[in-house]
Amino acid sequence: MEKGKQLYEGKAKKVYETNDPNLYIVSYKDDATAFNGEKKGTIADKGVVNNIMSNLVFALLAESGVPTHLVRQLSDRDTLVKAVTILPLEVIIRNTAAGSFSKRYGVEEGTPLARPALEFSYKKDELGDPLINDDHILALELATEDDLARVKQYAHKVNEVMKAFFLDKGLKLIDFKIEFGKTPDGEIILADEVSPDTCRLWDVKTNEKMDKDRFRRDLGNVEETYQAVLKRVRA
Ligand code: TMP
């Protein structure tokens, strides 16, 4: 399958048309940004790690009943996916307080939450992806009530499957962000990626941060950590 016209370039990936209107090719870059693009850098071979890891997790999720956009990996950085229209929502689930949740609610990072907390951000760079609630989503017609129910059901399932998967690899799933898309026939499927860019993963024994916070917070060993996570999830 060959890349056609480039449809889109995001912060971490490019999306291309193919000769089949129902299929796109996503191509993972090494570019890294944080704080809505204010901080910019490169993480060598991040694109390779994120592509391979995301496909591995998506395959597992598909087996567990969560439909995904994954068709097949084409190369280290390129994957063939189902063409979808992305819902303009970042779907975040938190198991442990960290990041913006800790800051917003004054809860120390690492504090376990009594139950997984789902939150939505409105994907709009010019507004800095603001927090948004169900009523706002429906009022703005960003998704239908049925779509929203489906998204929440899948997101909690993704959490359960990934928590167990990562724990088996010695990684604690603190929180993560996923995105969903709609196929031309109206099916909601998991799209975008699951990677150290989009999950917080802490070593079970040492609580060492093994994710993009190493880049965001200048903690060092960024490339090595991405490689270490890939090695663990492939084991
Ligand atoms: P937060 O605590 O900064 O809101 O991040 C929550 C989760 O979402 C964390 O696992 C990192 C991920 N995330 C993204 O994937 N993209 C983003 O742009 C941001 C801000 C967070």
Side-chain angles (χ1 to χ4, degrees):
M1 191 63 79
E2 298 283 311
K3 283 180 195 159
K5 196 179 97 194
Q6 184 181 307
L7 283 177
Y8 170 82
E9 175 160 11
K11 295 186 192 117
K13 296 188 287 297
K14 294 179 183 178
V15 181
Y16 297 88
E17 281 180 348
T18 66
N19 57 18
D20 181 337
N22 293 313
L23 298 174
Y24 292 159
I25 292 172
V26 291
S27 188
Y28 286 74
K29 308 189 289 182
D30 289 348
D31 300 346
T33 62
F35 316 117
N36 201 19
E38 257 177 64
K39 180 183 172 106
K40 287 192 176 71
T42 319
I43 301 172
D45 286 337
K46 170 171 85 80
V48 176
V49 170
N50 289 8
N51 183 41
I52 296 171
M53 172 166 166
S54 200
N55 291 341
L56 204 141
V57 174
F58 275 29
L60 172 72
L61 289 167
E63 279 171 28
S64 311
V66 178
T68 84
H69 73 171
L70 174 64
V71 177
R72 71 174 186 275
Q73 189 168 304
L74 299 174
S75 69
D76 271 4
R77 290 177 185 274
D78 293 349
T79 292
L80 189 65
V81 299
K82 290 184 186 168
V84 293
T85 307
I86 297 282
L87 299 180
L89 298 173
E90 298 198 333
V91 184
I92 295 158
I93 291 205
R94 301 178 188 272
N95 297 305
T96 300
S100 67
F101 184 95
S102 285
K103 205 167 167 189
R104 180 176 307 116
Y105 303 117
V107 186
E108 199 188 335
E109 277 209 326
T111 307
L113 301 177
R115 48 179 272 178
L118 186 150
E119 76 188 39
F120 294 111
S121 291
Y122 182 20
K123 261 171 76 80
K124 225 179 193 339
D125 279 340
E126 58 272 37
L127 300 178
D129 299 341
L131 200 61
I132 191 167
N133 73 19
D134 294 39
D135 267 18
H136 300 155
I137 291 167
L138 297 173
L140 292 171
E141 297 184 304
L142 304 181
T144 66
E145 239 168 304
D146 283 352
D147 292 346
L148 211 50
R150 208 15 89 82
V151 160
K152 288 184 182 181
Q153 178 209 331
Y154 285 154
H156 283 291
K157 180 77 187 175
V158 168
N159 186 39
E160 291 312 312
V161 173
M162 293 208 306
K163 249 196 320 199
F165 173 74
F166 286 123
L167 195 57
D168 188 51
K169 313 290 180 185
L171 294 166
K172 195 159 131 187
L173 180 61
I174 302 299
D175 58 30
F176 63 91
K177 183 270 302 180
I178 49 179
E179 297 182 20
F180 291 88
K182 210 169 195 176
T183 62
D185 47 18
E187 197 196 353
I188 296 286
I189 65 176
L190 183 64
D192 195 50
E193 69 181 271
V194 166
S195 71
D197 275 13
T198 64
C199 300
R200 282 196 176 94
L201 297 165
W202 294 2
D203 182 86
V204 172
K205 291 204 187 98
T206 64
N207 275 343
E208 191 190 346
K209 293 178 170 52
M210 300 196 65
D211 55 60
K212 195 179 169 189
D213 274 345
R214 301 207 74 83
F215 169 80
R216 295 188 189 99
R217 304 178 186 190
D218 296 318
L219 300 176
N221 290 329
V222 182
E223 276 91 1
E224 293 83 347
T225 300
Y226 274 74
Q227 294 298 333
V229 170
L230 180 61
K231 196 172 165 197
R232 286 202 198 187
V233 299
R234 285 179 117 171

